[in-house]
């Protein structure tokens, strides 16, 4: 795609005739569209199941409020996939590709950072529940969490809105990139938003690590108490299992769960956030990069983005089908199977 573009925003971009700089390779036009199509079908069915469960459950806990927000974000994300598929596979008209740059890609990133923020809030909530298992909630606290959720959506939406408004240049050729459609202010804002999103991501990552470290420590203490007294402890997450499993089995399982969550978060999200920095620079300071380097950063961004997408868009379903999650509890109660509280 890049080979024929004429971008006034990239004065150093003189190598358009070089076909090795084209974005249109088999990875972008065939492999990723096929994978995103599968993800669309999977995401649609699993998220529909999550909606079926969540919107029957009253928002009686902070956890449920946060998960409902993640489900809404996941659904919006899933609906952006068909546009990305059509655009990347070059089956879309110019108008549709402009729509992807202006709206659907912005919604994709917006909902991604909304999910990340709620994922952080869920970690804080789990930490609070583990450290203070007897501190319940009340109507006022639930109302605060709903207000906080609304504020997160509004603030991030306001942050991303200029990315829509300032993507208003008419493409100068059939072959254009999203950054070609941006005004000067639009490119500047695109960079600002990406910096803010980096801060959000790394802050949440630190929060998640701190929370899960505290949770692990507290659960170890509780299991040691169970072991020494041979009585049920104060584990709020899984009392019925804690009483039926041997302490060392529970400990191993707990470790596995904690490291699974942290591991997935690291492996899926960290590579994209490293790759995003040079790619954003290549979009806004094109003169500093030759076309091959820009292409390399684009491919790195697309690959790492695909790597994180399945985890992120299916995260609410993962949470709801975990043994103590609402979907499992609901299905198991229908089937009269005892589950962890
Ligand atoms: N973190 C973000 N938050 C909101 N919008 C974003 C973010 N990153 C990129 N965008 C917007 O999404 C659209 C596509 O961006 P990008 O993925 O960088 O371009 P490309 O598809 O050419 O690689 C652009 O309008 C851009 O401003």
């Amino acid at each position: 795609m890049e080979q024929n573009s004429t971008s006034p925003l990239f004065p150093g971009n003189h190598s358009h005739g070089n076909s090795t700089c084209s974005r249109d390779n088999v990875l972008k036009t065939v492999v990723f569209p096929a994978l995103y199509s599968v993800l669309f079908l999977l995401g649609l069915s699993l998220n529909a199941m999550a909606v079926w469960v969540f919107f029957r459950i009253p928002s009686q806990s902070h956890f449920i409020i946060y998960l409902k927000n993640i489900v809404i974000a996941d659904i919006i994300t899933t609906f952006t996939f068909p546009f990305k598929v059509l655009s990347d596979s070059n089956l879309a008209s110019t108008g549709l590709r402009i729509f992807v740059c202006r709206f659907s890609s912005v919604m994709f990133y917006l909902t991604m950072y909304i999910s990340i923020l709620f994922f952080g809030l869920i970690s804080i909530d789990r930490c609070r529940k583990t450290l203070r298992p007897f501190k319940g909630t009340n109507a006022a606290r639930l109302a605060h969490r709903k207000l906080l959720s609304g504020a997160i959506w509004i603030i991030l939406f306001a942050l991303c809105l200029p990315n829509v408004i300032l993507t208003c240049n008419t493409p100068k050729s059939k072959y254009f990139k999203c950054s070609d459609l941006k005004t000067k202010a639009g490119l500047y804002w695109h960079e600002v938003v990406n910096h803010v999103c980096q801060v959000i991501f790394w802050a949440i990552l630190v929060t998640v690590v701190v929370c899960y470290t505290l949770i692990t420590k507290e659960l170890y203490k509780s299991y040691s108490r169970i072991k020494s007294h041979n009585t049920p402890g104060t584990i709020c997450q899984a009392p019925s299992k804690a009483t039926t499993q041997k302490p060392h089995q529970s400990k191993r399982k707990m470790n596995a769960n904690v490291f699974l969550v942290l591991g997935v978060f690291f492996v899926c999200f960290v590579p994209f956030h490293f790759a995003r920095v040079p790619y954003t620079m290549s979009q806004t300071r094109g003169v500093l990069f030759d076309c091959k380097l820009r292409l390399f950063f684009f491919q790195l961004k697309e690959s790492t983005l695909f790597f994180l997408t399945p985890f992120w868009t299916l995260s609410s379903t993962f949470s709801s089908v975990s043994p103590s999650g609402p979907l499992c509890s609901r299905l198991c109660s229908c089937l009269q199977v005892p589950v962890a509280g």
Side-chain angles (χ1 to χ4, degrees), residues 52-64:
W52 176 73
V53 171
F54 281 109
F55 291 92
R56 279 177 163 74
I57 298 175
S59 303
Q60 277 168 344
S61 73
H62 303 176
F63 181 66
I64 295 292

Side-chain angles (χ1 to χ4, degrees), residues 133-169:
F134 299 112
K135 191 172 179 223
T137 190
N138 56 36
R141 284 207 197 100
L142 290 175
H144 283 152
R145 294 316 182 276
K146 286 179 192 166
L147 274 179
L148 175 69
S149 307
I152 288 176
W153 280 87
I154 292 169
I155 292 169
L156 284 203
F157 187 77
L159 182 77
C160 294
L161 194 59
N163 275 353
V164 175
I165 298 169
L166 301 171
T167 307
C168 55
N169 285 349

Side-chain angles (χ1 to χ4, degrees), residues 94-114:
T94 302
L96 191 62
R97 286 180 48 222
I98 294 174
F99 172 84
V100 169
C101 288
R102 282 196 89 176
F103 300 103
S104 97
S105 289
V106 179
M107 288 313 284
F108 175 88
Y109 288 110
L110 168 73
T111 49
M112 173 162 124
Y113 287 96
I114 284 179

Side-chain angles (χ1 to χ4, degrees), residues 1-5 13-25 177 290-296 298-299:
M1 206 188 279
E2 189 163 303
Q3 76 196 89
N4 293 318
S5 69
N13 191 8
H14 297 307
S15 37
H16 295 137
N18 185 350
S19 64
T20 55
C21 286
S22 169
R23 282 183 172 188
D24 288 334
N25 54 29
K177 303 183 259 45
D290 67 16
C291 79
K292 272 192 189 164
L293 203 56
R294 280 206 297 275
L295 179 63
F296 170 74
F298 169 73
Q299 286 174 335

